[in-house]
Amino acid sequence: MARGRDPMNLLILGGTGEARELAKELVARGEHVVSSLAGRVARPKLPHGETRVGGFGGPEGLARWLTENDVDAVIDATHPFAERIGANAAIAARETGTPLLRLARPGWTEQPDDTWHWADDLDHAARLLPALGDRVFLTSGRQGLAAFAGLDLWFLIRCVDPPEVPLPRRHEILLDRGPYTVENEHALMERHGIEVLVTKDSGGEMTAAKLTAARGLGLPVVVVRRPSRPETASVTTVQDALTWLSGTAKGSPA
């Protein structure tokens, strides 16, 4: 904590590794940090500082929470595909005059030996699959799988918690949590005879091994684009977020 001022009251919209790393750094500096988790994972990795689980009740509820808790700044470090909370945060921050920062890891970059097919959403990804392969490794998370339910293909569905129904008629569920290794991902795809991989453009190293394995096996990959986010100050690293907080948040010294 910087000398000559009280600790900042900070809200981190979390659930990602970057959010946990940022919370750890800020708590070590003496700031008061509350990390908000959506509650969609049964056994989440808890960050340093205080934690709250569950929604705020839309942008109005979040705005009220920011005011009641005298929040100095909000850092939206949610998953790249958590678009609803991002939109709510932008509205609440604007209504309350609270500084807002988006902390988002960069997306993945296609390599020369990759065969990627970009999809606008899960429905688009499902429409691409029949022309690409009959055995699908589906790693897009446990929500939204209804988009694939009508396809007469075989799916290996990997997610952290049991997925929601409806599901494809022919499938196998694999409950697992990263990080993953290239060797294990390669073996998994070979063992199940995978012909095409489906993933969201989540970015980061924790789950990138599947892309390397698919490249080595010569498999096509369907990559779902990130949804648009409200325009706000944005950084890609925890260090840049710390720099922004030191110079932008109203709790910082002049």
Side-chain angles (χ1 to χ4, degrees):
M1 183 178 66
R3 292 182 179 179
R5 67 165 175 83
D6 294 329
M8 286 187 285
N9 290 322
L10 302 172
L11 173 64
I12 298 178
L13 304 174
T16 61
E18 292 83 4
R20 291 189 293 272
E21 183 182 349
L22 179 61
K24 180 179 180 180
E25 289 286 341
L26 290 170
V27 169
R29 296 182 181 200
E31 312 294 4
H32 177 242
V33 178
V34 177
S35 294
S36 177
L37 307 179
R40 292 177 177 173
V41 177
R43 297 179 301 278
K45 297 179 181 178
L46 297 180
H48 288 69
E50 296 182 23
T51 303
R52 71 177 305 279
V53 178
F56 291 90
E60 298 83 2
L62 177 53
R64 183 167 55 252
W65 195 93
L66 296 178
T67 300
E68 291 175 350
N69 290 274
D70 194 25
V71 173
D72 294 313
V74 179
I75 303 92
D76 175 9
T78 54
H79 190 276
F81 285 80
E83 52 193 305
R84 179 179 298 178
I85 186 59
N88 290 348
I91 295 171
R94 183 172 62 249
E95 290 182 351
T96 59
T98 307
L100 170 66
L101 178 71
R102 172 69 179 144
L103 169 58
R105 68 181 82 113
W108 288 313
T109 302
E110 189 172 3
Q111 303 300 311
D113 293 332
D114 286 329
T115 304
W116 286 10
H117 301 265
W118 287 93
D120 295 329
D121 51 32
L122 291 177
D123 289 327
H124 186 195
R127 294 195 298 272
L128 294 175
L129 284 179
L132 298 175
D134 294 322
R135 296 182 66 82
V136 184
F137 187 17
L138 188 54
T139 66
S140 57
R142 71 186 184 93
Q143 295 181 317
L145 299 183
F148 305 93
L151 296 178
D152 188 25
L153 306 173
W154 185 87
F155 290 84
L156 175 63
I157 302 172
R158 183 170 69 192
C159 41
V160 176
D161 294 317
E164 301 176 346
V165 295
L167 298 173
R169 181 176 61 86
R170 296 191 293 143
H171 71 268
E172 179 177 329
I173 303 296
L174 175 60
L175 300 182
D176 199 6
R177 186 198 299 265
Y180 307 103
T181 67
V182 174
E183 180 181 9
N184 288 345
E185 295 288 68
H186 189 284
L188 179 68
M189 293 184 201
E190 279 200 323
R191 184 165 65 251
H192 289 279
I194 298 300
E195 298 174 356
V196 56
L197 168 68
V198 178
T199 183
K200 292 178 176 178
D201 184 20
S202 300
E205 295 299 321
M206 181 173 288
T207 60
K210 60 189 173 186
L211 299 173
T212 304
R215 184 183 311 128
L217 291 167
L219 301 182
V221 182
V222 176
V223 185
V224 180
R225 290 187 177 91
R226 294 181 176 191
S228 60
R229 289 276 191 152
E231 290 292 331
T232 188
S234 299
V235 296
T236 60
T237 69
V238 169
Q239 186 55 54
D240 285 343
L242 294 170
T243 299
W244 180 87
L245 281 167
S246 68
T248 304
K250 63 187 179 183
S252 301

